[in-house]
Amino acid sequence: MGSNQLEIIFSCGQGEKNTPDSGYRLLAKRLRQTWAVESSKNIFANDLLSRCRLVVFAGSQKKFTAKEFADLRQYLKLGGYLVVLLGSDETVESNLNHLLEEYGMTVNSDSVIRSTFKKYFIPKEALITDGYLQRTTTSNNTVQNQGGFLFPYGSTMKVKSPAIPLLITGSACHPMQKPICGFYADPQSPKGGRILTISSVQIFHDGFIEKEENLTLVDRLFGLILAEKLPRVLPDESDVPESEPIVDIAEIASRVTPVLERFGGVVYGSGNSSGNGSVGSGNGSGNGLVGLGNGSGNGSVGNLKRVYETDCDAPSMAKIAEVLQAFREVGAENEPLSLVAPKFDGVYPSMQPAVYPPTFDDLPRPQLEMFDFNKEFVAGREKLNHVVLDHRNADDLTVYINKITTALSLGPQSIPPVRTEKELLEHVAMHLLNFKSSGWTQ
């Protein structure tokens, strides 16, 4: 390369919001590790296209003129490279799709969302873990895990020959298995022009480029388009898995074709064909099954949609006038329909729920000793009467004196420890004497 040769130049004059100075700083820093990176507000001036190797259009919103498109086509014929980052929001303003269609690529106006939650709360920040079409293998012929990348606020693409798809949305995003990155290389010359298109402007933004394996994706994609020789094996349209539409079962189940069962085990449904044991829909025939479409229904269903009828449940008011006229001609009264109470035939006899009173266990006995509360809380005079009545014999004089002393609250707890009944009587007499003396003094 000469001293005046530029390697990568970012366009900043076509309404791009993200530039190497704002929004793509980390991208420019990554690319500067290998290539020289510059930016220009008008790449069509000063003969810049002839002096640069790669031009990046990241989210261009201004429309290109016919002369500018002609300059870009001439630039590609002379071996120039283009990198186009275009999302669904930019396709409305920009007309870059007109140029990309000539090389087999078109950015759609839809949105890619993550259908199941994983790591990121915003559905449009789609984490794709199976988006690489070209699988890399190790020395022992095992598939190498290439990691996932974050695809934020992007859309799908249409990629057809001569372009090839490089990345797809995978199985966890919606729409499933759709291209999101296309690559074009001039088939006539190995040193011809190349175009790399990515249907997301934010994928290399400063806020997302360091997440997941997006930096590795930068190295792979820019390394591919700027490589001296392309790999011998590249993915093509046949490598994109076919997307399988999911049938809306709830909607289709409400529109099932009505059938009538008649004698002989023959089931008649909608259609013009006939068969052994059944009548198939459409023009097919069935042997004990339903023949669908134009083929025979021998054990398999050809077209599931022909089983369902979409006209039977369509409301129509065309026959109302004829019905009212028929009522007048017959002389029948035109009364509103009354509610008919349904009568259900039960297989089992009517039963009532059996209700049994609840059974409770008896409360346990209190963990207390048995006390005679009347005896404990009775007045002093009554205690003396009970003691006198219980001890009438002179043989119980000792017990009688002890109980009399206790009833008078003059027991061992209120007198010095004594043992004989004589001392107890002396103690009682002293209390009486003190009581009488206190009465006299008063």
Side-chain angles (χ1 to χ4, degrees), residues 325-395:
Q325 181 63 27
F327 269 96
R328 289 191 290 269
E329 293 178 356
V330 176
E333 296 182 1
N334 184 12
E335 298 179 353
L337 297 177
S338 59
L339 180 62
V340 179
K343 182 180 180 181
F344 301 99
D345 296 331
V347 180
Y348 301 101
S350 58
M351 295 181 291
Q352 295 181 353
V355 180
Y356 301 96
T359 57
F360 301 100
D361 296 336
D362 294 336
L363 294 176
R365 295 182 178 274
Q367 302 296 328
L368 298 174
E369 298 180 3
M370 302 300 292
F371 290 96
D372 188 357
F373 291 101
N374 293 329
K375 184 177 180 181
E376 295 295 331
F377 297 104
V378 72
R381 186 180 295 276
E382 292 184 4
K383 286 184 179 181
L384 292 175
N385 293 335
H386 287 300
V387 172
V388 172
L389 292 176
D390 293 338
H391 303 282
R392 297 178 180 179
N393 300 326
D395 298 337

Side-chain angles (χ1 to χ4, degrees), residues 273 280 283-287 289-303:
S273 59
N283 298 321
S285 62
N287 298 324
L289 299 172
V290 179
L292 305 171
N294 296 321
S296 60
N298 296 322
S300 63
V301 177
N303 187 2

Side-chain angles (χ1 to χ4, degrees), residues 17-38:
K17 295 182 180 179
N18 300 317
T19 63
D21 297 329
S22 175
Y24 283 159
R25 292 181 179 179
L26 297 178
L27 174 62
K29 181 180 179 181
R30 185 77 170 191
L31 296 176
R32 286 193 180 103
Q33 297 177 2
T34 310
W35 303 283
V37 178
E38 299 292 340

